[in-house]
Amino acid sequence: MFDVLVIGGGISGGSTAIYTSQGELKTAVIDSGKSQIKQVSRLFNYPGIKEITGTELLENIKDQALAAGTEWNEGTVETVKQNDNGFSVILTEGKEFVSKHLVIATNLQTSLLESLGFELTVNEKVPSGKIKKVLGIDPDGTTKLPNLYITSLLAGLSSQSVIAAGHGASIGISIVSKETGKAYMWHDK
Ligand SMILES: Cc1cc2nc3c(=O)[nH]c(=O)nc-3n(C[C@H](O)[C@H](O)[C@H](O)COP(=O)(O)OP(=O)(O)OC[C@H]3O[C@@H](n4cnc5c(N)ncnc54)[C@H](O)[C@@H]3O)c2cc1C
């Protein structure tokens, strides 16, 4: 049983895992390896980093999550179910993960949310008009289901890596704060 399970190990999900692991919550990521940032050969707008490839940024985030204690799993989640203790997640090959908190960080992939009964609408922050967000979601990523959080584009934010990272971090901090009963902050000396 995990404290936190993150579906999607892209920019936002990886960022959540860094924070929840650093906050000493037992955290696992399941990632199918299709982050949009891999399409970006050179990224110039991530504050504090003058230039980086999308793949390198992604690998750095994964390395930081691993260093903080995250268990990182390659795979695709097919089914999510809510039960008395939290959430049960089943991968395509049949492996099951159980967790108290669930973070859905799947970006363009909406099928898991639909299966959980969430309604979707157009994310008006993306010009194409084709990208979806969850209807009525709070900006902090919390949902109608207790202990279930949704990141980034699906929460109605803009398609920018720094926003995805910040939102993932914010959700991680909220979960650690909720679990420990006091506001969590990570301040290095
Ligand atoms: C062509 C292009 C250019 C871009 N250029 C820039 C740019 O210059 N600057 C910038 O800031 N941003 C840019 N972006 C946006 C940036 O890529 C996104 O903001 C960022 O990747 C969003 O992070 P995320 O974690 O929400 O999603 P992602 O990084 O896409 O991660 C989602 C992850 O979820 C996984 N996943 C999905 N479904 C499942 C499942 N069922 N089970 C397990 N894993 C699953 C996917 O495999 C993926 O790894 C660009 C995007 C595109 C498409």
Side-chain angles (χ1 to χ4, degrees):
M1 171 103 181
F2 288 91
D3 299 315
V4 184
L5 189 58
V6 184
I7 306 176
I11 304 293
S12 62
S15 183
T16 298
I18 291 171
Y19 275 80
T20 55
S21 296
Q22 183 72 15
E24 298 185 355
L25 298 185
K26 190 177 175 196
T27 301
V29 168
I30 301 163
D31 183 47
S32 56
K34 294 180 183 143
S35 169
Q36 277 196 316
I37 205 73
K38 287 183 176 176
Q39 298 176 41
V40 187
S41 55
R42 293 162 80 206
L43 191 83
F44 297 100
N45 64 343
Y46 199 93
I49 299 176
K50 284 186 183 163
E51 182 184 340
I52 191 165
T53 70
T55 299
E56 195 182 358
L57 179 63
L58 199 61
E59 283 171 359
N60 287 349
I61 290 172
K62 179 178 175 182
D63 285 348
Q64 284 172 287
L66 291 173
T70 302
E71 179 187 306
W72 198 281
N73 303 274
E74 288 175 16
T76 302
V77 174
E78 195 167 86
T79 315
V80 176
K81 285 185 185 146
Q82 199 180 15
N83 57 39
D84 290 344
N85 300 321
F87 298 90
S88 161
V89 160
I90 301 171
L91 276 56
T92 42
E93 75 269 30
K95 190 171 178 187
E96 183 179 15
F97 291 78
V98 180
S99 178
K100 179 172 178 182
H101 297 272
L102 183 67
V103 180
I104 297 187
T106 55
N107 198 15
L108 303 178
Q109 298 300 319
T110 58
S111 55
L112 299 175
L113 293 165
E114 284 162 301
S115 74
L116 285 163
F118 287 102
E119 282 183 64
L120 300 166
T121 187
V122 171
N123 179 338
E124 68 286 346
K125 299 231 172 93
V126 184
S128 72
K130 294 179 183 164
I131 302 299
K132 297 283 170 52
K133 70 172 183 181
V134 169
L135 192 64
I137 190 163
D138 286 329
D140 63 0
T142 55
T143 69
K144 63 181 181 182
L145 296 184
N147 296 341
L148 188 140
Y149 301 79
I150 297 171
T151 70
S152 191
L153 267 193
L154 292 166
L157 301 181
S158 300
S159 176
Q160 292 286 269
S161 53
V162 66
I163 293 175
H167 195 231
S170 174
I171 288 172
I173 286 170
S174 296
I175 295 171
V176 177
S177 300
K178 193 173 173 184
E179 278 299 290
T180 59
K182 60 179 182 193
Y184 176 65
M185 269 186 293
W186 176 353
H187 282 179
D188 289 323
K189 295 193 175 82

